[in-house]
Amino acid sequence: MDLSPRTIERLSKYRRLLEKYKKPDGDYIFSHHLARLLDLTSVQVRRDLMLIGLTGNQRKGYNIRELIQIIGKTIDEEQGHNIAIVGMGNLGRAVTRFIRKNKTKMNIVAGFDIDPVKISEEVDGVPCYHVSTIRSYIKKLSVDIAVLTTSADAAQDITDLLVNSGVRGLLNFTSVHLDVPSRVYLKDYDIMTSLEEIGFFIKHPEKSI
Amino acid sequence: MDLSPRTIERLSKYRRLLEKYKKPDGDYIFSHHLARLLDLTSVQVRRDLMLIGLTGNQRKGYNIRELIQIIGKTIDEEQGHNIAIVGMGNLGRAVTRFIRKNKTKMNIVAGFDIDPVKISEEVDGVPCYHVSTIRSYIKKLSVDIAVLTTSADAAQDITDLLVNSGVRGLLNFTSVHLDVPSRVYLKDYDIMTSLEEIGFFIKHPEKSI
DNA sequence: TAGATTGTTAATCGATTAACAATC
DNA sequence: TAGATTGTTAATCGATTAACAATC
């Protein structure tokens, strides 16, 4: 199986959409219908589903229950993922609550901070520890994904610590470009860059149509 | 000028990196040096800079001051952008403080919420109004970009309201796929999908190396 | 000068889409 | 059956990279 990040992202969106989807006229959906709901082409939907071995019915389309189940088999880790939020400032607390609202296989097991005020103060039921204890808690709690919501200054040092402690995936909300070994999967979320991108394209509207 | 979203994103990162950059051995930087700092190739850096008409020096590289200035001329709107945050929950407040910490041409001029508790309670100096007043405030304050941090339920209705009020760019933090006219530039930030992407690729490490 | 770097075209790579046979 | 849809290969499109001449 050889799925690109973009395909994985679309599969995640298909599943989430259909989990909330009140069956229109049964438990099946056509590729062009799913495509329209997400502004994609029906070919792309069929191709994505083909790649994960899902087969449809020419009369009824794709079985929604089966679709959700096979996407889960493809992208989920059976035992779920244990997540740590590093940096329990506004952004860290917001992300914590956001993730916990979505009942998925993503379990937030710990927060970390340097501020004594935040430490041992639970956020949405998640305990917060001092960053100096990252190594032992990451190992003890089998954290495999960390969300980085620290200050820019601390970002690279904390990243090194996380990676050395065994974290294998990182969601980086800081605006710092992180240096990580290739075995670690890094996803950047650069808010300022995104705003500047939006700013540019509303200044040059002809480009985006 | 015909710049892709990816080029704009890289330009934004070049600038931010170099603004904080303490000159190594002068006020110039080589393309391969800048490339290494951001995990890119030097060809890509040179090509990006070529596209915005920036010319380097074969002995010294690119003048950092000039680079920052020309990137600004390319991507910034001279008068800046007026931004509204819609949904002043944890995420909205976090994003507000985050953007305001970065001194840029992005001015947050208003927040909106439905919760009477949050309304007329300033966040980091930004006033918060009721969503029913979106239309008049968006026009009065000339808001051109909105950050959507509402609940999933409200997302599409609020978006319609924003677009009808004249907003031309949207940064969407909800997990809902939004339907917007093509003249509106939309950028999605789907946290759950990103986590699932990370989860998949740490399960299949051979793919990401 | 020799060596390193820039600037730019052509080739390559990866992802999307067009086309169409197979199927219900 | 006719019509619509699926499944899949081939063509296309867009972005990155290789190659190399020009320049300091």
Side-chain angles (χ1 to χ4, degrees):
Chain A
M1 208 183 338
D2 205 11
L3 303 168
S4 71
R6 291 193 191 175
T7 300
I8 298 298
E9 285 175 19
R10 285 192 298 270
L11 290 172
S12 165
K13 286 170 199 288
Y14 299 155
R15 173 167 67 169
R16 186 150 22 111
L17 185 74
L18 291 176
E19 275 171 345
K20 285 173 188 163
Y21 198 72
K22 303 301 166 208
K23 41 192 169 185
D25 291 293
D27 310 312
Y28 286 79
I29 190 166
F30 290 119
S31 60
H32 60 83
H33 189 180
L34 185 48
R36 182 157 32 82
L37 293 170
L38 290 169
D39 275 333
L40 303 169
T41 65
S42 62
V43 195
Q44 191 158 54
V45 171
R46 287 200 299 279
R47 205 177 192 290
D48 288 341
L49 299 182
M50 182 196 79
L51 290 172
I52 59 170
L54 187 60
T55 167
N57 177 304
Q58 282 93 334
R59 275 284 165 74
K60 304 190 275 180
Y62 296 87
N63 181 296
I64 293 176
R65 201 180 317 275
E66 192 189 352
L67 191 153
I68 290 171
Q69 189 219 318
I70 294 191
I71 290 177
K73 262 195 190 143
T74 305
I75 69 181
D76 290 342
E77 182 80 60
E78 202 161 335
Q79 67 272 31
H81 293 281
N82 293 328
I83 298 183
I85 312 287
V86 188
M88 270 295 172
N90 295 297
L91 194 53
R93 293 196 295 266
V95 172
T96 301
R97 293 199 182 93
F98 187 92
I99 297 172
R100 282 176 61 85
K101 251 193 305 188
N102 288 269
K103 296 281 171 215
T104 61
K105 285 177 172 291
M106 301 291 167
N107 313 306
I108 304 190
V109 295
F112 294 99
D113 209 289
I114 40 162
D115 182 353
V117 176
K118 282 163 198 145
I119 295 163
S120 76
E121 179 191 281
E122 290 195 352
V123 173
D124 206 21
V126 175
C128 183
Y129 309 109
H130 192 271
V131 289
S132 64
T133 63
I134 281 180
R135 196 177 176 79
S136 64
Y137 276 112
I138 293 289
K139 285 171 186 281
K140 197 189 297 178
L141 300 168
S142 303
V143 170
D144 54 357
I145 298 176
V147 178
L148 211 63
T149 47
T150 65
S151 69
D153 296 340
Q156 183 64 59
D157 286 347
I158 295 282
T159 298
D160 294 343
L161 190 51
L162 290 166
V163 168
N164 288 331
S165 306
V167 164
R168 292 162 60 217
L170 275 169
L171 187 56
N172 175 27
F173 277 93
T174 78
S175 53
V176 176
H177 175 78
L178 298 174
D179 193 17
V180 293
S182 64
R183 71 192 142 82
V184 174
Y185 193 85
L186 171 66
K187 176 111 184 155
D188 289 304
Y189 248 174
D190 194 323
I191 294 176
M192 294 315 299
T193 286
S194 294
L195 284 174
E196 293 187 337
E197 178 189 331
I198 294 171
F200 175 80
F201 284 104
I202 66 179
K203 193 174 110 185
H204 301 276
E206 67 285 1
K207 307 294 186 307
S208 53
I209 293 173
Chain B
M1 208 182 339
D2 204 10
L3 302 169
S4 72
R6 290 193 192 175
T7 300
I8 298 297
E9 286 175 18
R10 284 192 299 268
L11 290 173
S12 164
K13 285 171 200 285
Y14 298 156
R15 173 167 67 169
R16 183 148 25 103
L17 186 73
L18 291 177
E19 275 170 346
K20 286 174 189 162
Y21 198 71
K22 304 301 168 207
K23 40 193 169 185
D25 291 294
D27 310 312
Y28 287 77
I29 190 166
F30 290 119
S31 60
H32 60 81
H33 189 180
L34 186 48
R36 183 157 31 83
L37 292 170
L38 290 168
D39 275 335
L40 303 169
T41 64
S42 62
V43 194
Q44 191 158 54
V45 171
R46 288 199 298 280
R47 205 179 193 288
D48 288 340
L49 299 182
M50 182 197 80
L51 290 173
I52 59 171
L54 186 60
T55 166
N57 176 304
Q58 282 93 336
R59 274 285 164 73
K60 304 191 275 181
Y62 296 87
N63 181 297
I64 293 176
R65 202 181 315 277
E66 192 191 351
L67 190 152
I68 290 171
Q69 189 219 318
I70 294 190
I71 290 177
K73 261 193 190 143
T74 305
I75 69 180
D76 289 344
E77 183 79 62
E78 204 162 334
Q79 68 272 31
H81 292 281
N82 293 328
I83 299 183
I85 311 288
V86 188
M88 271 294 171
N90 295 297
L91 194 53
R93 293 196 296 265
V95 172
T96 302
R97 294 198 181 95
F98 187 91
I99 296 173
R100 282 175 61 84
K101 251 193 305 189
N102 288 268
K103 296 280 171 216
T104 62
K105 285 178 171 292
M106 302 291 168
N107 313 305
I108 304 191
V109 293
F112 295 98
D113 209 290
I114 39 162
D115 183 353
V117 177
K118 281 163 199 145
I119 295 164
S120 76
E121 180 191 282
E122 290 195 354
V123 173
D124 206 20
V126 175
C128 182
Y129 309 110
H130 192 271
V131 289
S132 64
T133 63
I134 282 181
R135 196 176 177 80
S136 63
Y137 277 111
I138 293 288
K139 285 171 186 280
K140 195 188 300 178
L141 300 169
S142 303
V143 169
D144 55 356
I145 299 177
V147 179
L148 210 64
T149 46
T150 65
S151 69
D153 296 340
Q156 184 63 60
D157 287 347
I158 295 283
T159 297
D160 294 344
L161 190 51
L162 290 166
V163 168
N164 288 331
S165 306
V167 164
R168 294 161 61 217
L170 275 170
L171 186 56
N172 176 28
F173 277 93
T174 77
S175 54
V176 176
H177 175 79
L178 297 174
D179 193 16
V180 294
S182 64
R183 70 190 143 83
V184 173
Y185 193 86
L186 171 66
K187 175 109 184 156
D188 289 303
Y189 249 173
D190 193 324
I191 295 177
M192 293 316 298
T193 286
S194 294
L195 283 174
E196 292 187 339
E197 179 189 331
I198 294 171
F200 176 80
F201 284 104
I202 65 177
K203 194 174 113 184
H204 300 276
E206 65 285 1
K207 307 296 185 305
S208 53
I209 294 177

